[in-house]
Every structure is written in C-alpha cells, then in structure tokens.
Amino acid sequence: SSLNLKSGDRLTVENLLHGALMKSANDACVALAEKAAGSEAEFAQQMNLQACILGCSNTNFCNSNGLPAENHYSSAYDLAVMTRAAMQQEVFAEIVQKQQHLVKWTDGRQLMVRNTNRLLREYPGAIGVKTGTTNEAGQCLIAVAEKAGKRIIVVVLKSKNRFYDAVALLDYGLSA
C-alpha cells in the first residue's frame, strides 16, 4: 500500500503517520524513518533497541514497514508487548482508532485515507490497531478493544480470515 509519494513531496509528520498507521502506506513508513533517523537502516536499528528495552526477545526489524526481508521477524507476544507500549502514546492511540483522515500535502494535494482495520466500524469497543498482509505472513491483525473497563490486545498472524479470528479472540477475552 502506498500514498504514492514522489521525490520532493512535502507532508507533515502527522500526515505521514496517518498514512502509515491507517492505510499501511509503505512509502510513508520509509519517509518517516528517513526523517527520524537519517536512513531506514538506522531507524530499524532504533526499532530493535526499543523492542529490546521492552523485553521483546523474538523480534528483529530490518525495515520500517514490515515488508519481507531476510532476518526480519517478530512473535505474536512481542507484537502485543509493543502494542501495549504504543497505545500509551497519545498520538499513536488517537490515530489508530480513526476510521478516516484527510492526508494533506503542503502543495494543496489531498487524499482521504480509510483505516484498513474494519473492526473499528464493526466491533463495538474496538479502538485500534493495525492490519498487515504479505505473502509470507498472510493476513495479520493486531486489535485492541475495551469493554466494561477491560482492555484486551489480540494478535492474529498468518490467518485466512483475520477479522473473524480477531473477533473470536476479543469476544473470548472480553467475556472472561
């Protein structure tokens, strides 16, 4: 997925974050990584350091967007730990629960992006987080929902129906 960024495009970090987190725009991820760390490789190293600090021992990032790369991996547990930490960041939590957002370039161009996580529209209490799909990983979804003061994070990897699987896990976790 992409925002179709071109060399010389100018967007705010906030608009790039919306593209990356809501539309899974891989080009927005790379642009953010280059802005934050100077290069995508350096950003991946910073991601690895943060994962380590959080205690994630089954994760190694090679890029900023999660596209397949040799030695790029994570576990469901580590993804849940990272999600718990990310949801404590106000900007992240705000963006991942939006259903749509108008991304704006500084030259006046605009693109309405719709969140790829349809649970935000279909599952009562859903507040995020992120879909992902590659041939190697299949359909993936990290979902967060709240009910009666209880918050649960579910991670679905290599699914044939990530939304069905996530709903089953959310229902189970929120009913216990």
Side-chain angles (χ1 to χ4, degrees):
S1 182
S2 170
L3 292 179
N4 296 313
L5 297 176
K6 295 173 186 61
S7 181
D9 278 356
R10 297 182 56 87
L11 294 89
T12 64
V13 167
E14 179 184 352
N15 276 298
L16 288 170
L17 285 169
H18 279 84
L21 293 170
M22 294 175 65
K23 189 179 187 321
S24 293
N26 296 309
D27 53 355
C29 294
V30 173
L32 286 163
E34 291 173 347
K35 175 68 175 168
S39 73
E40 189 176 21
E42 177 57 32
F43 188 76
Q45 288 308 308
Q46 291 178 17
M47 291 170 59
N48 288 326
L49 176 61
Q50 288 301 311
C52 185
I53 289 168
L54 290 172
C56 299
S57 59
N58 292 303
T59 293
N60 188 67
F61 296 112
C62 295
N63 59 49
S64 61
N65 51 27
L67 291 177
E70 188 173 334
N71 208 30
H72 184 99
Y73 58 87
S74 192
S75 68
Y77 177 81
D78 284 2
L79 291 168
V81 168
M82 289 182 271
T83 298
R84 182 179 57 213
M87 289 298 286
Q88 294 173 7
Q89 303 301 312
E90 186 177 334
V91 171
F92 179 90
E94 180 182 306
I95 291 171
V96 298
Q97 67 181 310
K98 285 184 181 180
Q99 292 188 31
Q100 61 184 23
H101 178 81
L102 187 62
V103 172
K104 300 176 183 178
W105 280 250
T106 59
D107 66 6
R109 216 171 4 147
Q110 300 180 351
L111 174 68
M112 181 62 72
V113 296
R114 188 175 172 123
N115 199 313
T116 57
N117 180 4
R118 74 178 208 219
L119 292 185
L120 295 171
R121 296 176 289 282
E122 299 174 3
Y123 191 85
I127 59 170
V129 168
K130 184 80 185 68
T131 63
T133 306
T134 65
N135 290 337
E136 291 83 356
Q139 294 182 27
C140 301
L141 173 62
I142 302 171
V144 178
E146 293 179 329
K147 181 179 175 184
K150 184 178 186 179
R151 178 181 282 193
I152 186 167
I153 299 169
V154 301
V155 178
V156 176
L157 304 174
K158 204 159 183 89
S159 174
K160 293 193 187 312
N161 188 335
R162 62 183 162 209
F163 297 108
Y164 176 85
D165 293 341
V167 165
L169 291 168
L170 289 169
D171 284 350
Y172 177 78
L174 290 170
S175 70

